[in-house]
């Protein structure tokens, strides 16, 4: 008798070498995804906003606690605090996967402040802070000029990075070189690189979406089969 799969997602991860990451840290969505084979998830400010819209019943009391306990905080500080806690919750859901896979999978990607895309020092500082929140956090840093410097420095500090806002081959190579420099700096000082799993996310899907928008504005009709190469 053949194996029974819970869903098409479960069948995919069970019968192919594909790893499934959930593009959300929603408790309900991520719990479902993990049950169906997901081995990672992601968060960013937009995702967290959607999580709050969907699951405010889970976070309303905690949000009020943060506000009451920190009366002098700005809205920005409150926002980043709840952002962190939602990410940590997602990391906790994935931790059993992280343990089972000995740190190779089971991570939650959490994004540094996009406003700091041009400031390597601030990106690095926040990346190191995020890394301290949970053992299975992967920190997103943009592949901008300052971001490449931050990727090297954060890697040197022992942070598992996930390069984001990366659209081109030169960006990807710059990320790889920055990670290599960071790892070499650690090793030169006798610091461990065991368990470090840096990632570079090449966002071809976003490029695909943008080209479709541009084409629509210009009145250009694109054959879908021509665009497929962006996805594979």
């Amino acid at each position: 008798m053949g194996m029974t799969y819970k869903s098409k997602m479960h069948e995919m991860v069970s019968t192919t070498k594909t790893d499934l990451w959930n593009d959300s840290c929603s408790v309900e969505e991520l719990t479902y995804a993990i049950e169906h084979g997901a081995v990672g998830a992601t968060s960013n400010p937009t995702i967290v906003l959607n999580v709050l819209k969907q699951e405010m019943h889970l976070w309303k009391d905690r949000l009020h606690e943060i506000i009451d306990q920190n009366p002098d905080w700005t809205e920005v500080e409150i926002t980043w605090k709840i952002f962190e806690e939602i990410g940590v919750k997602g990391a906790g859901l994935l931790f059993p996967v992280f343990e089972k896979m000995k740190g190779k999978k089971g991570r939650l990607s959490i994004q540094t402040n996009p406003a700091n895309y041009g400031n390597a020092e601030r990106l690095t500082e926040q990346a190191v802070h995020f890394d301290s929140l949970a053992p299975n956090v992967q920190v997103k840093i943009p592949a901008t000029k300052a971001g490449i410097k931050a990727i090297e420095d954060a890697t040197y500090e022992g942070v598992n990075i996930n390069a984001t806002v990366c659209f081109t081959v030169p960006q990807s190579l710059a990320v790889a070189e920055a990670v290599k420099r960071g790892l070499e700096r650690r090793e030169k000082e006798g610091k461990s690189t065991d368990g470090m799993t840096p990632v570079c996310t090449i966002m071809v899907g976003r490029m695909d979406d943008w080209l479709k928008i541009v084409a629509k504005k210009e009145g250009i009709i694109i054959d879908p089969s021509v665009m497929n190469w962006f996805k594979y």
Side-chain angles (χ1 to χ4, degrees), residues 74-195:
T74 65
E75 291 180 353
V76 172
E77 290 172 309
I78 293 168
T79 298
W80 278 102
K81 179 59 176 175
I82 198 69
F83 173 85
E84 290 179 11
E85 293 198 6
I86 289 174
V88 169
K89 179 66 175 179
L93 294 173
L94 282 162
F95 191 70
V97 179
F98 180 76
E99 285 192 308
K100 180 180 178 180
M101 303 305 297
K102 303 186 184 303
K104 297 297 183 182
K105 300 176 184 179
R107 293 189 181 273
L108 186 286
S109 279
I110 184 169
Q111 183 170 313
T112 48
N113 189 343
N116 294 330
Y117 72 92
N119 190 311
E121 185 176 343
R122 289 181 182 175
L123 288 170
T124 302
E125 181 181 3
Q126 192 175 39
V128 171
H129 170 63
F130 283 167
D131 182 65
S132 71
L133 298 177
N136 58 326
V137 161
Q138 193 114 17
V139 182
K140 291 182 180 179
I141 300 177
T144 59
K145 182 178 180 180
I148 295 299
K149 177 68 168 66
I151 286 169
E152 176 184 342
D153 291 342
T155 299
Y156 164 72
E157 294 291 347
V159 178
N160 283 282
I161 66 96
N162 180 355
T164 187
V165 196
C166 183
F167 301 98
T168 67
V169 172
Q171 279 180 293
S172 305
L173 292 174
V175 168
E177 290 168 353
V179 168
K180 184 173 184 290
R181 290 192 298 271
L183 292 173
E184 288 175 344
R185 285 169 59 190
R186 283 188 66 80
E187 291 169 347
K188 187 176 181 180
E189 296 183 10
K191 297 177 180 178
S192 176
T193 56
D194 293 342

Side-chain angles (χ1 to χ4, degrees), residues 20 28 33 40 51 59 63 67-68 73 83 111 125 136-138 154 184-185 201 205 209 211 218 224:
L20 172 63
E28 295 175 358
V51 169
W59 295 102
L63 188 55
I67 294 170
D68 293 341
W73 277 16
F83 173 85
Q111 183 170 313
E125 181 181 3
N136 58 326
V137 161
Q138 193 114 17
E184 288 175 344
R185 285 169 59 190
T201 301
D209 292 340
L211 289 175
E218 298 297 325

Side-chain angles (χ1 to χ4, degrees), residues 9 31 39 54 66-67 69 77 80 180 201 215 222 231:
M9 289 193 304
T31 299
V39 295
Q54 296 171 23
I66 294 171
I67 294 170
Q69 292 169 3
E77 290 172 309
W80 278 102
K180 184 173 184 290
T201 301
I222 298 178
K231 300 179 181 178

Side-chain angles (χ1 to χ4, degrees), residues 10-41:
H10 186 224
E11 181 179 1
M12 175 186 71
V13 299
S14 299
T15 60
T16 72
K17 294 182 179 181
T18 305
D19 278 349
L20 172 63
W21 278 56
N22 196 60
D23 196 23
S24 171
C25 54
S26 155
V27 172
E28 295 175 358
E29 289 183 12
L30 184 51
T31 299
Y32 175 88
I34 293 171
E35 290 175 352
H36 291 248
V39 295

